[in-house]
């Protein structure tokens, strides 16, 4: 961590020297961090990964425990030797991880027993783990744009457009609101998100934000938005009239992955500092997985030297990743998309897996390109024996059905007086199934009050998918949470969720789910902004 003792990390001689390469090797150009953050995707659809993964000693890692969280994050960013200077990184990290979180620990650990440590990643403004990255990325996005502008490589501003099925939209709104040179518009399916999620979005403050409800489902939102992004003549018009480019800042952006590595390294340091593990002793990590970002961050942390032995990939009934890790074949050719109590893990194409495969093939872009083509054309691909073997050395996976998910919420509450959300419950149950002798860190990705209806079902032994009793069904999301809090004596409902019923909705526009309607809406928003 100390740059002067490690030539590899010596930023004075090789400032910003860690460049980013494309997982599909379509382009041989390696680009700096700031450009990778602005580009998002590599040309040809590949993902950017760092050429060099810094290695930390166990002393480097444990020394993090003496610093506030923002400084730990800054240390990891500096270790990756990105092309922003130390003072800038410090400044941005202080803004990212300050009193916007409800605890100075940022992501505290609750130890259920000696060998089960729950890493609470939901203490940010929107009460879900997306905040860990989305409170940070927008600052680095704006700073990257500023740097490219001052280098003469860019002369426009940005408008982020996001289609959301719930959690991401609000986390992105909170992250980008008030950020210079960037505005953000969010599209959600009208009637397709929970009462809490809708209220969270439409009450967002800030002058550079906008929210639209779209007639249709999430898929319609996403497909329409993809078409808007692909409409080059619209992009040219917007660039000409407003000097603005659209961007998505989605979960495959390296700038969203890097902040997630921080909390795994930091958690290890914290467990050592609090005497829960010995420095150097192995732990396992269990992650409720959708797009493979969170668990990939844990892999990077282990690759950097954090003693993480096994990575448990936890799936819900959409178990494409579990089957892949257990067979080496990724197959969605005959797989139905299932709705579960853990909607943020309801996914068929897990984009960040591509980065993991790139590393497992020892960076063989040709193989990755081939498999992604197979996935596109045949809806399936199979990795080689070697890659499968390499994956099995560290990854284990299991899936939990909807019923077991709710049972786990109920039993963890009964036995440990600890209330978890359905995503965390999937990971908790999988950890129980897969654990060996190592202590396990279970990634907890949402506060229970974001998913009150299923938490209520769990506590009252109501089957998943069954309607709630009439007197409960008529409650608002906030009222239901208050009822659960009363019944369980868990009164820790985060401020951002507790007061939603009393906040004034700012956005009530409902638009059609077609390209013209979305483009016109975006245009009105940009006119208002300019
Ligand atoms: C996004 C999300 C996940 C899945 O994380 P990935 O990085 O996509 O694997 C799990 N739980 C919650 C609550 C989320 O919002």
């Amino acid at each position: 961590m100390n740059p002067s003792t490690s030539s590899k990390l010596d930023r004075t001689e090789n400032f910003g020297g860690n460049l980013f390469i494309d997982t599909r090797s379509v382009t041989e150009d390696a680009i700096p961090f700031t450009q990778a953050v602005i580009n998002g995707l590599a040309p040809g659809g590949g993902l950017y990964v760092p050429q060099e993964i810094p290695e930390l000693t166990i002393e480097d890692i444990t020394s993090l425990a003496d610093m506030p969280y923002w400084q730990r994050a800054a240390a990891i960013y500096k270790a990756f030797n990105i092309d922003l200077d130390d003072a800038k990184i410090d400044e941005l990290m202080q803004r990212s991880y300050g009193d916007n979180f409800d605890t100075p620990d940022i992501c505290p650990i609750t130890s259920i027993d000696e060998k089960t440590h729950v890493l609470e990643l939901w203490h940010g403004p929107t009460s879900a783990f997306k905040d860990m990255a989305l409170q940070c990325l927008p600052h680095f996005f704006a700073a990257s744009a500023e740097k490219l502008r001052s280098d003469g490589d860019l002369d426009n501003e940005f408008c982020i457009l996001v289609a959301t099925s719930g959690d991401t939209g609000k986390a992105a709104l909170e992250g980008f609101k008030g950020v210079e040179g960037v505005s953000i518009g969010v599209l959600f399916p009208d009637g397709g998100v929970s009462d809490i999620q809708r209220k969270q979005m439409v009450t967002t403050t800030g002058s550079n934000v906008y929210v639209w409800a779209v007639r249709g489902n999430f898929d319609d939102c996403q497909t329409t938005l993809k078409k808007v992004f692909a409409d080059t003549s619209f992009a040219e018009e917007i660039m000409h009239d407003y000097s603005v480019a659209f961007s998505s800042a989605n979960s495959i952006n390296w700038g969203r992955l890097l902040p997630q590595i921080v909390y795994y390294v930091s958690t290890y340091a914290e467990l050592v500092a609090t005497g829960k593990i010995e420095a150097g002793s192995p732990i396992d990590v269990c992650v409720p997985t959708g797009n493979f970002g969170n668990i990939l961050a844990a892999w990077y942390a282990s690759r950097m030297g954090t003693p993480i032995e096994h990575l448990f990939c936890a799936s819900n009934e959409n178990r494409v990743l579990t089957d892949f890790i257990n067979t080496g074949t990724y197959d969605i050719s005959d797989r139905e998309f299932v709705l579960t109590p853990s909607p943020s893990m309801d996914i068929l194409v897990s984009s960040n897996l591509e980065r993991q495969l790139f590393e497992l093939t020892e960076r063989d872009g040709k193989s990755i390109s081939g498999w992604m083509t197979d996935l596109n054309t045949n809806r399936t691909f199979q990795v080689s024996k070697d890659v499968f073997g390499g994956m099995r050395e560290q990854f284990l996976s299991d899936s939990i059905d909807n019923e077991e998910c709710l049972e786990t919420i109920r039993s963890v509450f009964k036995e440990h007086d600890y209330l978890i959300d359905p995503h965390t419950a999937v990971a908790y149950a999988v950890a129980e199934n897969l654990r060996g002798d190592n202590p396990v860190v279970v990634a907890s990705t949402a506060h229970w009050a974001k998913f009150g209806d299923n938490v209520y079902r769990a506590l009252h032994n109501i089957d998943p998918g069954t309607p709630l009793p009439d007197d409960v069904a008529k409650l608002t999301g906030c009222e239901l949470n208050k009822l659960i809090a009363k019944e369980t004596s868990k009164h820790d409902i985060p401020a951002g969720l507790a007061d939603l019923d009393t906040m004034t909705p700012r956005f009530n526009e409902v638009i059609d789910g077609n390209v013209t309607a979305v483009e016109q809406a975006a245009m009105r928003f940009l006119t208002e902004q300019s």
Side-chain angles (χ1 to χ4, degrees):
M1 195 74 45
N2 182 347
S4 60
T5 59
S6 161
S7 60
K8 208 167 165 190
L9 304 181
D10 192 337
R11 283 167 59 84
T12 53
E13 274 178 27
N14 184 27
F15 176 75
N18 196 5
L19 299 179
F20 289 76
I21 52 176
D22 163 15
T23 50
R24 298 189 194 176
S25 306
V26 171
T27 158
E28 296 299 324
D29 293 344
I31 57 170
F33 172 82
T34 50
Q35 190 71 59
V37 167
I38 295 300
N39 290 7
L41 268 183
L47 310 187
Y48 289 114
V49 291
Q51 226 159 22
E52 259 191 78
I53 301 171
E55 279 176 35
L56 308 178
T57 65
I58 195 71
E59 290 76 29
D60 290 335
I61 292 166
T62 52
S63 72
L64 292 179
D66 301 330
M67 310 170 189
Y69 191 87
W70 70 262
Q71 229 168 358
R72 301 178 192 185
I76 300 295
Y77 270 55
K78 290 170 198 171
F80 269 93
N81 196 14
I82 64 171
D83 60 326
L84 291 171
D85 65 39
D86 289 6
K88 189 78 193 170
I89 293 174
D90 285 348
E91 177 205 325
L92 299 179
M93 284 307 180
Q94 266 173 295
R95 264 195 264 159
S96 302
Y97 301 110
D99 58 13
N100 44 341
F101 283 73
D102 68 13
T103 159
D105 292 344
I106 306 298
C107 48
I109 301 162
T110 294
S111 297
I112 301 294
D113 55 44
E114 267 179 24
K115 288 198 164 182
T116 311
H117 307 290
V118 179
L119 171 60
E120 297 179 352
L121 298 169
W122 38 258
H123 287 268
T126 81
S127 307
F129 111 99
K130 301 283 188 294
D131 287 334
M132 294 302 298
L134 279 167
Q135 284 296 299
C136 180
L137 165 80
H139 298 301
F140 282 85
F141 188 95
S144 297
E146 190 186 290
K147 178 164 192 296
L148 297 178
R149 273 193 294 266
S150 71
D151 293 349
D153 296 332
L154 187 78
D155 59 5
N156 58 272
E157 301 203 331
F158 287 92
C159 176
I160 309 288
L161 292 178
V162 178
T164 186
S165 57
D167 282 354
T168 304
K170 177 60 174 177
L173 286 163
E174 282 301 312
F176 279 101
K177 85 177 185 196
V179 171
E180 290 276 324
V182 191
S183 56
I184 175 164
V186 169
L187 305 150
F188 72 87
D190 192 25
V193 300
S194 76
D195 176 53
I196 293 258
Q197 286 171 327
R198 185 182 58 81
K199 284 176 182 156
Q200 272 191 305
M201 288 189 274
V202 299
T203 57
T204 307
T205 59
S207 58
N208 64 332
V209 307
Y210 211 95
V211 179
W212 299 278
V214 175
R215 289 183 196 98
N217 58 29
F218 171 61
D219 226 36
D220 300 327
C221 289
Q222 197 161 30
T223 312
T224 308
L225 188 56
K226 276 190 185 153
K227 288 183 192 156
V228 172
F229 282 133
D231 183 349
T232 46
S233 69
F234 181 62
E236 278 164 22
E237 186 184 341
I238 293 297
M239 182 63 84
H240 178 267
D241 293 353
Y242 304 94
S243 197
V244 164
F246 290 117
S247 176
S248 72
N250 61 17
S251 75
I252 50 80
N253 194 304
W254 177 257
R256 272 182 70 172
L257 202 56
L258 188 46
Q260 300 182 357
I261 298 171
V262 176
Y263 50 74
Y264 288 110
V265 186
S266 163
T267 292
Y268 191 88
E270 200 65 37
L271 289 172
V272 172
T274 50
K276 290 173 180 168
I277 57 172
E278 302 262 343
S281 69
I283 61 167
D284 296 336
V285 167
C286 185
V287 185
T289 300
N291 230 342
F292 214 79
N294 201 359
I295 194 167
L296 176 66
W299 178 84
Y300 273 105
S302 88
R303 184 58 189 272
M304 291 169 72
T306 312
I308 298 172
E309 190 172 348
H310 299 109
L311 297 161
F312 301 155
C313 172
S315 302
N316 62 23
E317 291 190 13
N318 293 294
R319 48 174 289 148
V320 61
L321 283 167
T322 297
D323 291 340
F324 174 66
I325 290 170
N326 289 324
T327 65
T329 301
Y330 196 97
D331 190 352
I332 52 171
S333 61
D334 188 25
R335 207 178 275 273
E336 299 249 332
F337 180 87
V338 188
L339 289 175
T340 74
S342 47
S344 299
M345 302 161 67
D346 290 344
I347 204 159
L348 289 177
V349 178
S350 190
S351 339
N352 265 306
L353 180 63
E354 179 167 344
R355 286 189 165 109
Q356 189 67 62
L357 294 173
F358 185 67
E359 297 295 349
L360 286 167
T361 58
E362 289 170 29
R363 306 193 161 187
D364 174 6
K366 288 225 163 55
S367 289
I368 305 301
S369 242
W371 294 334
M372 294 305 135
T373 307
D374 287 350
L375 183 61
N376 255 332
T377 46
N378 308 322
R379 314 290 287 159
T380 179
F381 67 87
Q382 186 178 12
V383 298
S384 67
K385 240 182 162 164
D386 283 354
V387 170
F388 180 57
M391 181 165 73
R392 297 293 303 175
E393 278 174 25
Q394 199 167 13
F395 286 91
L396 296 172
S397 185
D398 197 7
S399 75
I400 295 299
D401 68 22
N402 295 347
E403 216 161 287
E404 200 174 344
C405 169
L406 299 194
E407 265 168 36
T408 305
I409 296 175
R410 185 162 61 244
S411 66
V412 171
F413 178 66
K414 246 195 188 153
E415 286 160 33
H416 305 288
D417 189 32
Y418 184 64
L419 199 49
I420 56 178
D421 97 290
H423 302 79
T424 309
V426 170
Y428 197 97
V430 166
E432 291 304 296
N433 292 350
L434 296 180
R435 68 188 308 150
D437 289 337
N438 292 341
V440 182
V441 168
V442 176
S444 175
T445 49
H447 189 280
W448 64 262
K450 277 209 94 164
F451 300 94
D453 52 348
N454 278 311
V455 171
Y456 185 90
R457 281 191 185 87
L459 295 170
H460 289 263
N461 226 329
I462 301 169
D463 285 342
T466 309
L468 293 171
D470 286 345
D471 55 330
V472 179
K474 69 171 202 276
L475 301 177
T476 67
C478 294
E479 289 166 345
L480 175 58
N481 283 338
K482 275 186 202 139
L483 175 64
I484 297 169
K486 203 167 120 201
E487 290 178 351
T488 58
S489 296
K490 296 293 166 208
H491 297 289
D492 65 331
I493 299 173
L497 296 180
D499 305 330
L500 285 171
D501 283 349
T502 60
M503 289 170 73
T504 319
R506 288 180 66 200
F507 307 103
N508 52 20
E509 222 178 304
V510 186
I511 61 174
D512 283 334
N514 62 56
V515 178
T516 314
V518 172
E519 288 182 351
Q520 281 172 355
M523 195 98 99
R524 286 195 297 276
F525 172 45
L526 288 172
T527 308
E528 207 177 277
Q529 289 289 300
S530 60

